[in-house]
Amino acid sequence: MQKLYPNRYFDKKEDIPFQTYYERGYRGVIFDIDNTLVPHDSPADQSALRLIRHLKEMGFQICLLSNNDEKRVESFNEPLQVHYIHKANKPFRQGYERAMEVLGTNREHTLFVGDQIFTDIWGARRTGIFSILLDPINPREEIQIILKRIPERYVKWNYRRRHNLKKGEFDKEA
């Protein structure tokens, strides 16, 4: 079960202490898109644009890693202008490894941020990347994702119990 636990668990992307991670030597951030940066199937919004701009100014290299097709990922990325990989086949390692290659980073200097345990987090953990789990932005999702959310609740419950977090409480420290 520990292979499914994220390294950190935050409520939303704005809670992640990116400055602290940068100071610790992280230089690349790989993001999932849907329900991590924006609601499912939404275009890049002002919140995502601000975050990506801020991370670039800080010195981070950014790559979007998505199981979506190229049309979705390319259109999402248009205003962001970062690296991206579509049809990444998460949770398999190859997409994460390709992302680090395009970023010019390695496992020790890369963060991954996503909302799904059985694709995003498990893949990052299998690859050896520091993983950050966010709660999904919007509960309206496709049926195959809704079904995965059921066992995810158990993993999240165990994670909170192991880290002495109460229900609704998230990690506060990096």
Side-chain angles (χ1 to χ4, degrees), residues 62-80:
I62 313 291
C63 185
L64 306 174
L65 186 67
S66 176
N67 286 347
N68 280 303
D69 62 26
E70 186 168 20
K71 182 180 177 187
R72 162 70 176 135
V73 181
E74 184 178 44
S75 66
F76 180 84
N77 186 47
E78 236 173 71
L80 302 176

Side-chain angles (χ1 to χ4, degrees), residues 2 4-9 121 125 131-133 159 163:
Q2 290 183 2
L4 298 174
Y5 290 159
N7 293 100
R8 287 286 178 244
Y9 178 23
I121 301 305
R125 293 293 301 229
S131 63
I132 298 173
L133 176 68
Y159 178 90
H163 291 87

Side-chain angles (χ1 to χ4, degrees), residues 18-19 72 78 120 124 131 144:
F18 285 108
Q19 182 65 44
R72 162 70 176 135
E78 236 173 71
D120 298 331
S131 63
Q144 72 271 17

Side-chain angles (χ1 to χ4, degrees), residues 2 16 20-21 26 41 61-62 119 144 167 170 172:
Q2 290 183 2
I16 302 171
T20 300
Y21 289 121
Y26 290 95
D41 280 334
Q61 293 293 314
I62 313 291
T119 53
Q144 72 271 17
K167 185 173 179 169
F170 301 91
K172 293 175 180 45

Side-chain angles (χ1 to χ4, degrees), residues 2-104:
Q2 290 183 2
K3 295 245 183 218
L4 298 174
Y5 290 159
N7 293 100
R8 287 286 178 244
Y9 178 23
F10 295 100
D11 181 28
K12 56 191 180 299
K13 62 188 178 289
E14 292 81 9
D15 296 336
I16 302 171
F18 285 108
Q19 182 65 44
T20 300
Y21 289 121
Y22 191 84
E23 289 167 5
R24 291 182 183 171
Y26 290 95
R27 293 299 180 262
V29 184
I30 303 170
F31 282 103
D32 172 56
I33 297 173
D34 289 324
N35 260 340
T36 297
L37 289 174
V38 296
H40 193 76
D41 280 334
S42 296
D45 60 15
Q46 287 303 310
S47 174
L49 287 166
R50 270 192 309 275
L51 175 63
I52 297 302
R53 189 177 320 118
H54 177 66
L55 294 178
K56 286 178 174 180
E57 289 169 359
M58 220 185 280
F60 279 109
Q61 293 293 314
I62 313 291
C63 185
L64 306 174
L65 186 67
S66 176
N67 286 347
N68 280 303
D69 62 26
E70 186 168 20
K71 182 180 177 187
R72 162 70 176 135
V73 181
E74 184 178 44
S75 66
F76 180 84
N77 186 47
E78 236 173 71
L80 302 176
Q81 294 299 301
V82 297
H83 301 285
Y84 71 85
I85 296 169
H86 66 284
K87 291 192 177 181
N89 272 338
K90 296 180 287 183
F92 295 105
R93 293 183 187 117
Q94 294 89 335
Y96 298 87
E97 290 167 348
R98 282 185 25 228
M100 287 186 288
E101 196 175 299
V102 300
L103 292 174

Side-chain angles (χ1 to χ4, degrees), residues 135-148:
D135 269 347
I137 293 172
N138 188 339
R140 296 186 70 193
E141 299 176 298
E142 297 171 348
I143 188 66
Q144 72 271 17
I145 297 171
I146 291 169
L147 294 174
K148 285 191 268 182

